[in-house]
Amino acid sequence: MSVIDLGASDYSLMLHNELIEKSEVKVSFNDKTYSVFRDDGMSIEQVRDVDNKALFFAESRYLTGDNDAEYWMLSEIKNELNGKIRKRFPTAHPACDCLDEDIELNNGRSYKNPYYLESESIADVFSQIQRGEITLTQTMIVPVYAYIHSDITVSLNPFGCRFDSGIIGFMLVSLSMLKEWGHNVKTGYLTSKHKSLIQTVFDSEINDIESVFRNKYCLVQHEDGYYVSSHIDHLKENLH
């Protein structure tokens, strides 16, 4: 059995290709040899079981998002819109919210609700955003696209094939979530710096999902016999 040197610049690609064909591959690092196996049990739920992650909604037989993700996404959006209602209409009836077509004031007058959500479907809400009917300044939501043809590939960018691809879900991060993660938030809206940070989160999580689909997780056996799960690209960090 050949041994892959983890000091090689292309070790990740070599190891990935070997694990597609073989159940066990030998690797060497710092004068030690380890056995590496495909981690066929790694799931999207496991790689997303981390702190400080985006809300991820998807419902299909190919990909399932987080539990109750649609509910929590809508909660973040409704909190923002209801806050805007209170600021713009300080004398609005306490029961008024973004699901009401009209804003009822305490003096009996009413106005068309500029923050009206037509539906509690996150797909419909995103469509409203795309049409410019509502604007979010404290919440960033992006569609997740999938190309499905014998296997599945996901991306934050649309695919060229209109027959086998389309939107499969959504990811969301809000200003309040950034605060919960410990970021120093001094504004009442997402700045360009916030949006850049959130985009990095989205990109990283899509990469994690893709890594599961591409079988890029492995199990490495240490000298004392126990196994550690690792992404192939970060294997050296999990060796000692």
Side-chain angles (χ1 to χ4, degrees), residues 11-20 214-216 232:
Y11 89 84
S12 178
L13 178 61
M14 289 190 294
L15 180 56
H16 182 231
N17 290 337
E18 287 286 302
L19 286 174
I20 291 175
R214 304 280 80 79
N215 296 311
K216 285 196 170 184
I232 288 174

Side-chain angles (χ1 to χ4, degrees), residues 43-229:
S43 67
I44 292 172
E45 290 76 19
Q46 286 175 288
V47 299
R48 287 188 48 74
D49 187 19
V50 295
D51 296 329
N52 302 351
K53 65 180 181 181
L55 292 171
F56 173 45
F57 170 76
E59 285 185 336
S60 78
R61 62 192 179 98
Y62 302 100
L63 181 61
T64 302
D66 306 327
N67 291 334
D68 301 320
E70 185 171 38
Y71 169 83
W72 291 111
M73 283 182 168
L74 288 168
S75 293
E76 294 291 340
I77 292 171
K78 288 192 286 187
N79 285 342
E80 175 176 341
L81 296 179
N82 288 337
K84 290 181 176 180
I85 289 174
R86 299 288 167 243
K87 185 175 181 178
R88 183 166 175 178
F89 303 97
T91 61
H93 190 280
C96 285
D97 70 10
C98 57
L99 296 175
D100 297 320
E101 288 191 59
D102 297 304
I103 301 293
E104 302 289 340
L105 304 186
N106 291 329
N107 62 11
R109 292 182 179 179
S110 64
Y111 295 88
K112 184 176 177 61
N113 188 352
Y115 309 108
Y116 173 56
L117 287 185
E118 298 175 345
S119 165
E120 290 191 88
S121 157
I122 199 66
D124 291 343
V125 171
F126 184 75
S127 293
Q128 276 193 264
I129 295 171
Q130 291 295 92
R131 294 195 301 267
E133 296 173 1
I134 57 174
T135 301
L136 300 177
T137 57
Q138 301 171 12
T139 311
M140 187 169 171
I141 179 171
V142 295
V144 176
Y145 297 90
Y147 175 73
I148 303 170
H149 191 86
S150 71
D151 60 5
I152 179 171
T153 299
V154 294
S155 172
L156 294 178
N157 299 305
F159 295 91
C161 178
R162 61 189 180 91
F163 298 105
D164 296 324
S165 66
I167 294 175
I168 198 172
F170 300 90
M171 283 187 170
L172 179 149
V173 172
S174 68
L175 197 67
S176 63
M177 291 170 65
L178 291 182
K179 292 178 182 178
E180 290 174 4
W181 296 353
H183 293 283
N184 186 15
V185 177
K186 297 181 179 180
T187 62
Y189 58 91
L190 291 174
T191 64
S192 57
K193 186 176 181 179
H194 294 144
K195 291 177 182 178
S196 178
L197 170 63
I198 293 171
Q199 188 63 53
T200 300
V201 172
F202 290 153
D203 291 338
S204 175
E205 296 191 18
I206 288 294
N207 182 64
D208 288 342
I209 294 171
E210 266 292 283
S211 293
V212 174
F213 289 145
R214 304 280 80 79
N215 296 311
K216 285 196 170 184
Y217 285 91
C218 61
L219 289 170
V220 56
Q221 184 178 25
H222 285 252
E223 293 174 318
D224 49 10
Y226 78 93
Y227 294 83
V228 173
S229 180

